[in-house]
Amino acid sequence: VVGGQPGNSPWTVSLRNRKGQHLCGGSLVKEQWVLTARQCFTACHAPPPGYEVWLGTMFQSPQPGEPDLQRIPVARMVCGPPRSQLVLLKLERPAALNQRVALICLPPERYVVPAGTKCEIAGWGETLGTGDSRVLNVALLRVISNSECNVKQRGRVQENELCTQSLMVPVGACEGDYGGPLSCFTHDCWVLEGIIIPNRVCARPGWPAVFTRISMFVDWIHKVIQL
Amino acid sequence: QRSQLNDFQVLRGTELQHLLHAREPGTWQENVTNVEECAGQCGPLLDCRAFHYNVSTHGCQLLPWTQYSLHTRLRRSGHCDLFQKKDYVRNCIMDNGARYRGTVATTTDGLPCQHWRHKFPVDHKYTPTLRNGLEENFCRNPEGDARGPWCYTTDPVRRFQSCGIKSCREAACVWCNGEDYRGLVDRTESGRECQRWDLQHPHPHPFEPSKFLDKSLDDNYCRNPDSSERPWCYTTDPQVEREFCDLLSCGVPGFPLGPEAQSRQEATTLNCFGGKGEGYRGTANTTTAGVPCQRWDAQSPHQHRFVPEKYACKDLRENFCRNPDGSEAPWCFTSRAGMRKAFCYQVPRCTDDVRPLECYHGAGEQYRGSVSKTRKGVLCQPWSAKTPHKPQFTPAQHTELEANYCRNPDRDRHGPWCYTTDPGTPFDYCALPRCAHDQPPSILEPPDQVLFEECGLRLDRPNYWRSKMR
């Protein structure tokens, strides 16, 4: 995260490859289910063996034996509907919820976050020198309407995507943050409104950032968990 | 530091049965400390050729036969691993093959071997014993002949002949950087014995075979799971962590490859990447976030081992995104000193979706066509079937659910779907696009009221994280 600061995001998880290296972010939407970006995975049919989700730590390289760290292997993966850029990961066992590990709410189906809503992204990705990428960083972003976003993005932003305001200083997601959450505070709860998808430029000043709009795929998330 | 297990080849989840009741395996010994203790028992015994190890009960059963003995068969087993002595199951020889105990029984010219216990047509001095391994008419090397295992032939004209069994070094060669090498050499170039991949001593390492199933990290054989220059292994010498193995190259880089080698190469792509993108040969040269890539032939700002000359098969041209090390996607070293490497996720993944033939309107609730494959080409499960997935929607409730055709009984907004015949994928969307000009209703309307109860709550203690950082 560029332009953020160390923070707390107990639903943000770290996806690790079989060597234990951080690969992408993700969001804990149910005790045994993590939502992340399709681009982080090689194939749709099965998770690569040895991949894990790490929860409950703020460090990118937690020390062995860190008491709050939970490491849970990925048991199954399901690719999202066409054009969603989403993947749901089923964990081998449920995560234990505590002060460091929490679920994030899902929005109602087809809910549109009002422009001006304050949201935040979180991740262990690059900071481009604006902070310490060894810890979880959080940055505040404000939602803008798709029509406003499309002025700058020249009509490329679809309804299944949402945008956050551009700033004149670089603030936003970067390498290693993909798959992580855009969470917005609504009615006293944090709601997963977007997923960080690979954007062409990292936290580019003057350009709105684009995310996958989760409310368009909530029905699919419920269906996968139910089935 | 050498493990007794090094003398064995393992077949996980496998049991070896003898089909004749007259032959009895050893009794099960329960509660041996670990599998190495079991190997230590079997190793020195001349009549022990293999053993079963029960992972859950730590049981151990010694066996006087192997999978190549007569009247035996392998069977899948949920609790048993089978360890067989390498000398009995390897199809190649180490050194001069004096320890070879395989079942090859013909000579280089194809002449059948004479039984060692027979003195006709060739009379000879040998008497078969457990120690010299002169069994049946199998090729052996009882006196360490430099030409390897041999036998007396049944052809009166030819008294004896070498069997021409290849050395393990010659039996399999290395293409490119040897990621595909599956040979049976278990020594490094300096002659040190390799550490088993499934052991963490003397050198702890991340390459657990169960996590790297595609890398075939078998026993203690030389492999290249991290796209090093050549196959290598951890050594059993505590002072030397890892070393390359001295293996034969199948061809010189740049030399025209034969059909076998070509079939090994992953399909190349230019505008997207398939799988992990090892075959990506496009010209993207920035990271996802637009940071320019460092040239592969440069060692600044980042020093690295991926020198183009040493990785001729990986096409490390200019500063193009590539995947020379089996990472998750094409990547590059970046031109920023503070950011070593990053993925090139701006290169899209090549879709493996099948080409759709028909289309649907709305959400496809009215679709009554006969497409019966998912977007990935997996055949749909009939709606009336109960396996591999137990359906929640059946033809009895929904008359439109015919055969295994794609339908939308739950009005899924993402289109017609079906249960799949893949046990790992309960359902998926079908190879059907929404019909052109059929726009779904817009969602960009005034927002609804929202209520949440349990999720999305966190303890915000502004000073806590700052103190934790300190």
Side-chain angles (χ1 to χ4, degrees):
Chain A
V1 170
V2 178
Q5 53 185 335
N8 176 18
S9 181
W11 38 80
T12 303
V13 308
S14 166
L15 178 62
R16 302 279 168 152
N17 69 14
R18 43 198 182 174
K19 288 185 195 164
Q21 296 159 335
H22 170 82
L23 190 68
C24 276
S27 306
L28 190 69
V29 295
K30 275 273 179 196
E31 284 85 345
Q32 213 167 345
W33 292 91
V34 164
L35 193 63
T36 181
R38 164 76 181 94
Q39 198 76 339
C40 302
F41 277 93
T42 299
C44 268
H45 49 84
Y51 278 50
E52 290 182 338
V53 160
W54 290 16
L55 318 91
T57 179
M58 63 180 295
F59 299 103
Q60 199 195 76
S61 304
Q63 296 301 306
E66 189 179 313
D68 298 314
L69 175 68
Q70 297 183 47
R71 296 173 54 166
I72 309 180
V74 177
R76 190 177 264 202
M77 62 180 291
V78 185
C79 281
R83 295 174 300 281
S84 69
Q85 302 195 54
L86 296 178
V87 162
L88 259 176
L89 306 177
K90 187 175 188 187
L91 307 183
E92 215 167 77
R93 57 178 185 276
L97 306 185
N98 54 38
Q99 281 189 3
R100 303 283 169 80
V101 177
L103 303 180
I104 185 155
C105 298
L106 291 170
E109 278 184 43
R110 299 164 71 80
Y111 173 75
V112 179
V113 196
T117 304
K118 266 193 201 171
C119 301
E120 62 179 38
I121 55 168
W124 286 271
E126 283 294 334
T127 64
L128 298 184
T130 62
D132 185 350
S133 56
R134 292 172 304 175
V135 298
L136 182 74
N137 284 294
V138 176
L140 285 176
L141 295 167
R142 206 177 276 272
V143 170
I144 58 171
S145 71
N146 278 33
S147 53
E148 186 185 341
C149 186
N150 267 325
V151 172
K152 194 81 182 180
Q153 298 279 1
R154 297 185 184 175
R156 287 186 295 251
V157 177
Q158 309 288 310
E159 284 195 357
N160 59 11
E161 294 170 321
L162 72 85
C163 302
T164 55
Q165 194 177 36
S166 60
L167 300 166
M168 294 325 289
V169 289
V171 176
C174 199
E175 319 278 6
D177 294 325
Y178 310 125
L182 172 76
S183 19
C184 306
F185 197 61
T186 312
H187 297 271
D188 296 333
C189 277
W190 287 93
V191 184
L192 182 68
E193 297 291 4
I195 287 285
I196 303 169
I197 49 176
N199 279 324
R200 188 65 191 84
V201 175
C202 181
R204 186 178 178 187
W207 280 79
V210 183
F211 301 81
T212 284
R213 188 188 293 277
I214 294 306
S215 68
M216 292 292 280
F217 303 102
V218 167
D219 53 344
W220 166 76
I221 296 170
H222 289 313
K223 185 170 174 175
V224 169
I225 293 174
Q226 189 193 355
L227 281 182
Chain B
Q1 295 289 325
R2 176 181 197 279
S3 165
Q4 300 255 33
L5 271 182
N6 281 15
D7 295 327
F8 293 83
Q9 242 176 236
V10 65
L11 288 173
R12 301 274 175 207
T14 305
E15 196 179 336
L16 181 62
Q17 290 184 317
H18 203 286
L19 302 173
L20 302 181
H21 294 296
R23 299 292 306 270
E24 287 285 324
T27 52
W28 276 97
Q29 309 167 53
E30 299 300 330
N31 296 320
V32 290
T33 315
N34 55 34
V35 65
E36 289 183 277
E37 184 185 328
C38 203
Q41 288 184 23
C42 179
L45 298 178
L46 293 172
D47 58 348
C48 181
R49 297 184 178 185
F51 66 88
H52 286 138
Y53 184 71
N54 186 322
V55 186
S56 42
T57 65
H58 299 282
C60 172
Q61 184 185 40
L62 307 187
L63 303 169
W65 48 72
T66 70
Q67 68 183 100
Y68 298 118
S69 306
L70 286 177
H71 312 299
T72 60
R73 76 166 174 203
L74 295 172
R75 219 179 62 155
R76 298 288 305 158
S77 163
H79 52 85
C80 227
D81 291 337
L82 172 67
F83 291 81
Q84 303 181 94
K85 280 184 180 170
K86 282 177 178 175
D87 295 332
Y88 287 87
V89 291
R90 231 176 345 198
N91 57 7
C92 56
I93 54 170
M94 297 295 285
D95 305 319
N96 59 13
R99 291 169 59 99
Y100 174 75
R101 295 292 181 270
T103 55
V104 171
T106 51
T107 68
T108 328
D109 290 347
L111 302 174
C113 293
Q114 174 183 310
H115 277 251
W116 291 98
R117 67 173 183 276
H118 294 169
K119 301 289 182 188
F120 182 83
V122 178
D123 193 15
H124 60 84
K125 62 177 180 179
Y126 293 107
T127 306
T129 64
L130 277 178
R131 185 164 297 281
N132 64 21
L134 300 180
E135 194 181 354
E136 304 281 336
N137 60 342
F138 302 146
C139 302
R140 292 288 183 263
N141 194 0
E143 289 176 10
D145 190 289
R147 285 163 294 181
W150 57 274
C151 66
Y152 295 111
T153 84
T154 51
D155 181 351
V157 180
R158 188 82 199 219
R159 184 176 162 80
F160 65 91
Q161 194 172 40
S162 163
C163 295
I165 300 170
K166 285 187 176 172
S167 75
C168 292
R169 184 169 174 270
E170 292 167 339
C173 59
V174 171
W175 291 102
C176 298
N177 300 96
E179 290 97 333
D180 290 341
Y181 176 75
R182 298 294 180 263
L184 303 181
V185 170
D186 56 7
R187 295 270 189 286
T188 71
E189 57 191 3
S190 70
R192 290 184 171 86
E193 189 178 23
C194 292
Q195 172 182 320
R196 289 182 68 89
W197 296 98
D198 53 6
L199 292 181
Q200 291 290 329
H201 61 84
H203 304 288
H205 64 89
F207 295 104
E208 292 170 37
S210 60
K211 287 186 178 177
F212 291 79
L213 292 175
D214 52 330
K215 305 291 182 187
S216 291
L217 300 177
D218 310 317
D219 304 296
N220 64 339
Y221 297 127
C222 298
R223 294 287 183 262
N224 189 2
D226 62 348
S227 294
S228 288
E229 237 171 86
R230 291 186 277 141
W232 57 276
C233 65
Y234 295 100
T235 85
T236 48
D237 179 345
Q239 307 304 321
V240 180
E241 189 192 28
R242 51 184 273 181
E243 271 187 334
F244 286 120
C245 300
D246 176 28
L247 304 172
L248 290 179
S249 169
C250 301
V252 183
F255 193 80
L257 298 175
E260 189 198 351
Q262 279 170 4
S263 70
R264 285 162 187 253
Q265 290 195 319
E266 194 185 318
T268 57
T269 60
L270 294 174
N271 300 315
C272 59
F273 71 92
K276 295 177 178 176
E278 284 152 316
Y280 174 70
R281 295 293 179 264
T283 55
N285 61 0
T286 65
T287 71
T288 318
V291 179
C293 293
Q294 172 183 319
R295 287 183 66 91
W296 294 100
D297 56 8
Q299 290 292 327
S300 160
H302 304 287
Q303 286 213 324
H304 62 91
R305 62 186 169 100
F306 292 105
V307 180
E309 306 85 80
K310 291 183 177 172
Y311 289 85
C313 302
K314 311 287 184 184
D315 189 38
L316 302 181
R317 279 183 293 141
E318 305 196 23
N319 61 343
F320 300 149
C321 298
R322 293 287 182 265
N323 185 3
D325 66 345
S327 288
E328 284 71 18
W331 59 272
C332 66
F333 295 105
T334 85
S335 54
R336 281 179 193 256
M339 189 195 295
R340 183 168 167 80
K341 54 188 271 190
F343 290 115
C344 303
Y345 277 141
Q346 79 278 17
V347 181
R349 288 189 185 274
C350 303
T351 175
D352 50 356
D353 292 356
V354 298
R355 187 187 291 267
L357 297 170
E358 303 175 32
C359 67
Y360 64 88
H361 294 277
E365 299 102 316
Q366 300 305 318
Y367 174 75
R368 294 295 180 269
S370 55
V371 167
S372 56
K373 278 191 175 172
T374 72
R375 54 189 165 154
K376 304 291 170 200
V378 180
L379 197 64
C380 292
Q381 171 184 317
W383 294 97
S384 56
K386 300 279 185 284
T387 59
H389 308 290
K390 192 163 177 261
Q392 291 181 321
F393 302 93
T394 61
Q397 306 156 327
H398 297 263
T399 50
E400 78 274 18
L401 301 182
E402 301 169 81
N404 63 342
Y405 302 149
C406 297
R407 294 289 183 263
N408 195 352
D410 61 348
R411 298 167 177 263
D412 189 319
R413 277 192 298 105
H414 307 288
W417 58 276
C418 65
Y419 298 105
T420 85
T421 49
D422 170 10
T425 310
F427 81 99
D428 201 3
Y429 298 98
C430 287
L432 284 162
R434 189 190 294 271
C435 296
H437 313 300
D438 193 51
Q439 287 298 317
S442 172
I443 60 157
L444 300 177
E445 293 161 359
D448 301 328
Q449 191 67 19
V450 193
L451 279 177
F452 302 102
E453 286 173 356
E454 291 174 351
C455 52
L457 301 175
R458 76 179 177 200
L459 186 65
D460 279 318
R461 286 189 290 171
N463 293 326
Y464 173 79
W465 296 104
R466 222 163 287 145
S467 65
K468 179 92 181 166
M469 281 297 295
R470 277 201 298 277

